[in-house]
Amino acid sequence: MNNPKLTSFQEVIRLLTKYNFKCKKRLGQNFLIDQNILQIIINSLKLNKEDCILEIGTGMGTLTSALSPLVRQVISIEKDKKLDPLLKESLSPYNNIEIIFEDIMDVNLINFFEKNRKKGIKIEKIVGNLPYYISLPLIRQILELNKYLKFAVFLVQKEVGERLMAKAGDKNYGIISLIAQYYSQPQKVHTVSSTVFYPQPKVNSMIIRLDIYEKLPVQVGNKKLFLNIIRASFQQRRKRLINSLSNYFQREIAKPAIESILNEIGIDKNRRGETLSIKEFAKLSKAMEEKLCK
Ligand code: SAH
């Protein structure tokens, strides 16, 4: 059974007081206290009884305990060991939850996934109400686990969600938009007001689901080169494409050669890098790869 008490404000205060737990802003400890939002997160994971789920940031165990009856196994990683006594109480009715007290940024995720697979635990879905300070680097790492994953559902600051979904020309368009859209189809599930958390953060949030592609729809040739071209184009946003590329790749390829590549593939050299779509970056990457190999 779902434990509805953990989304009740009174129960949250009771547990925090009983265990003398002080929420740490720097760890993004804003706990979910809204049953409706909890349900929306859970529905968006399209769970079935065979699923093994990885949760990032256990907190008081609100999401963890709601997931438990719906799946085979929940593994939840939490940095703050001080939550241990509280979690022992809040999660005591459940027997398919494993809490790992570790900083997720210190976990070698590929090893972690492989190790679990060997034990027969196939994690295909990840969920988390993510602390702001790790959202972007963590999402980036998670996307690189694409071959293991089907979905990732995150509650993030609204602005982070917008960056993941942004298209060429949007003000939030950047490196992370392209990486997210290379590996997945990011979609907004719901906008979330700050009142659903205790304590309340200053900004609004968003539930975002990344539907990870089984087969990557955009072929980019050499992935490292593709990423370097993107990096070059966004490092100096105001520069024209030809200048950003020739600066960045000055040791590998001369400016006139880059000009002729852009010309051949029909991309105006005077455009700013930030106006290129993912398909255009892919085209550029394949064309440059050919020239660099010669
Ligand atoms: N899932 C819970 C908690 C969300 S708050 C809920 O929705 O209520 C975010 C949680 O992430 C906090 O418990 C915080 O301690 C934890 N956290 C912060 N940084 C972390 C890190 N680097 N690795 C793992 N957990 C982290």
Side-chain angles (χ1 to χ4, degrees), residues 27-29 31-32 55 57-59 78-79 103-104 129 131 133:
L27 289 181
Q29 289 175 343
F31 302 124
L32 194 59
E55 182 194 17
T58 322
E78 169 59 57
K79 179 177 165 119
D103 184 328
I104 185 78
N129 167 8
Y133 79 107

Side-chain angles (χ1 to χ4, degrees), residues 192-208:
V192 176
S193 112
S194 58
T195 56
V196 305
F197 301 101
Y198 181 82
Q200 281 186 24
K202 288 209 175 63
V203 294
N204 286 336
S205 303
M206 186 195 286
I207 303 171
I208 188 155

Side-chain angles (χ1 to χ4, degrees), residues 9-56:
F9 180 66
Q10 284 75 14
E11 177 64 0
V12 167
I13 297 298
R14 186 190 72 78
L15 283 166
L16 294 177
T17 312
K18 177 171 174 189
Y19 293 96
N20 192 21
F21 185 85
K22 304 265 179 301
C23 299
K24 299 172 194 75
K25 207 170 160 186
R26 76 187 153 84
L27 289 181
Q29 289 175 343
N30 303 103
F31 302 124
L32 194 59
I33 52 164
D34 187 287
Q35 190 64 28
N36 179 41
I37 295 298
L38 181 68
Q39 202 55 52
I40 293 172
I41 296 176
I42 289 180
N43 291 348
S44 69
L45 282 162
K46 301 186 182 167
L47 297 173
N48 66 65
K49 265 287 187 191
E50 293 312 305
D51 278 335
C52 298
I53 301 272
L54 173 63
E55 182 194 17
I56 294 153

Side-chain angles (χ1 to χ4, degrees), residues 156-211:
V156 286
Q157 278 202 3
K158 190 160 160 269
E159 167 250 332
V160 169
E162 279 163 357
R163 282 169 76 172
L164 296 170
M165 291 188 299
K167 293 278 175 358
D170 293 350
K171 80 173 194 308
N172 286 317
Y173 190 53
I175 299 178
I176 193 69
S177 324
L178 283 150
I179 295 177
Q181 292 162 37
Y182 172 64
Y183 289 112
S184 77
Q185 194 177 2
Q187 34 195 315
K188 172 170 146 182
V189 176
H190 204 78
T191 307
V192 176
S193 112
S194 58
T195 56
V196 305
F197 301 101
Y198 181 82
Q200 281 186 24
K202 288 209 175 63
V203 294
N204 286 336
S205 303
M206 186 195 286
I207 303 171
I208 188 155
R209 188 173 83 194
L210 307 173
D211 292 19

